[in-house]
Amino acid sequence: MNSESSRLNLRNIIVIGLFAALCYVALDFFRIPIPSPVGSPFIHMGNMFVILAALLFNGVSGGIAGSLGMGIWDVLHGYAATSYVTFTLKFGIGFFTGLIASKGNKKDAKSPILYLGIASAFFLIVGVIFLIIATTAGNVFDVVTIAGKPKQLVISPFLYIFSIILGLCLLATCVLIKNISIKMQYAILGAVSGIAFNLVGEFIFKVITLTLAGSQFTPAVLASAANLPATIINGAFSIVVALVLYAPLEKALAKSGLKFA
């Protein structure tokens, strides 16, 4: 192994360790509980550091850092039984963010405006649909029975508010696309892709867990949907903050010679 490879491997280890620690600290000290009829979801900044690591360095390093930092937090705080979900989803956030963002480094890369437009439309449609449901149903979507206890599934305003806000931000990106570098466009798309993976993955894992625990499929789906507001809030926050920090940090790393793929 040559010296350059050794330095690169050492840098990867340092990056993974640093961002794993940041993810752990962010999850441990910066948590805001979100009311939910199922589970105890909360807002945190851990996902933001996963995205930032993936954008600044590479998706694998970011994913491993997120898996270790937040996975270890789960193990040490009574969530060991479901820590495999955290290990999987956090790695996915970093991996897909880095995978998509890296395409912006190619010399012949073209604007991903189509995909940014699709993402914008998706979040806007989701937000509007839940807004209509919440308005017509008086904020109560349904009453379901889970584990023998009646639970009232409430559509939180955060669900549609943050969906619409994120959709509008992506729409603004499409409108101002000519003023945004190709690299930043792919960074935005990468961050959205990573959070989308986490959103879908968390929903699917929750449905499977509740179904295996004895819940019927429809109540399991509705109960899993109750945790979406916290996931969407975390996702929107993570995307915006990570991208704001990414631009200056990326330039600083490039000038210092610490930037590596």
Side-chain angles (χ1 to χ4, degrees):
M1 182 181 294
N2 58 45
S3 59
E4 181 62 27
S5 297
S6 298
R7 286 196 297 271
L8 195 59
N9 288 336
L10 180 60
R11 288 179 184 177
N12 270 302
I13 293 173
I14 293 173
V15 166
I16 291 171
L18 173 62
F19 278 91
L22 289 172
C23 288
Y24 184 97
V25 171
L27 192 56
D28 198 44
F29 293 100
F30 301 97
R31 288 181 289 138
I32 303 175
I34 295 294
S36 173
V38 180
S40 302
F42 48 82
I43 301 173
H44 64 84
M45 296 194 297
N47 292 338
M48 182 270 290
F49 285 111
V50 180
I51 294 174
L52 191 58
L55 292 178
L56 290 174
F57 301 100
N58 58 71
V60 173
S61 295
I64 294 176
S67 291
L68 289 177
M70 287 183 273
I72 291 174
W73 187 93
D74 275 6
V75 172
L76 297 179
H77 289 79
Y79 300 99
T82 57
S83 60
Y84 69 94
V85 176
T86 299
F87 279 106
T88 302
L89 295 183
K90 304 318 171 185
F91 178 81
I93 291 177
F95 178 78
F96 285 106
T97 297
L99 178 67
I100 301 300
S102 65
K103 297 183 182 298
N105 295 323
K106 297 180 179 179
K107 294 182 179 180
D108 59 346
K110 297 181 179 179
S111 173
I113 185 172
L114 174 61
Y115 299 105
L116 290 171
I118 292 174
S120 173
F122 171 79
F123 283 106
L124 285 173
I125 291 172
V126 168
V128 170
I129 288 176
F130 278 102
L131 174 60
I132 293 173
I133 293 174
T135 301
T136 57
N139 289 333
V140 179
F141 185 70
D142 202 349
V143 177
V144 297
T145 300
I146 299 176
K149 298 181 180 180
K151 296 287 184 179
Q152 194 174 52
L153 187 60
V154 179
I155 297 177
S156 169
F158 290 116
L159 179 56
Y160 48 81
I161 289 175
F162 276 82
S163 292
I164 292 174
I165 289 176
L166 184 55
L168 290 175
C169 288
L170 291 169
L171 179 61
T173 300
C174 294
V175 173
L176 302 173
I177 202 75
K178 292 183 179 180
N179 299 318
I180 303 174
S181 68
I182 295 294
K183 188 173 184 177
M184 179 57 76
Q185 291 177 36
Y186 275 98
I188 295 171
L189 184 61
V192 172
S193 300
I195 291 301
F197 171 84
N198 185 66
L199 180 67
V200 174
E202 189 169 310
F203 177 78
I204 292 175
F205 269 120
K206 190 69 176 180
V207 171
I208 293 174
T209 300
L210 291 174
T211 302
L212 292 177
S215 174
Q216 294 184 352
F217 180 73
T218 299
V221 170
L222 294 174
S224 300
N227 287 325
L228 290 179
T231 306
I232 292 176
I233 295 169
N234 279 326
F237 174 82
S238 299
I239 291 171
V240 173
V241 178
L243 291 172
V244 169
L245 294 176
Y246 165 67
L249 288 176
E250 197 275 337
K251 291 181 180 179
L253 285 173
K255 289 181 180 180
S256 67
L258 295 176
K259 179 74 175 177
F260 60 94

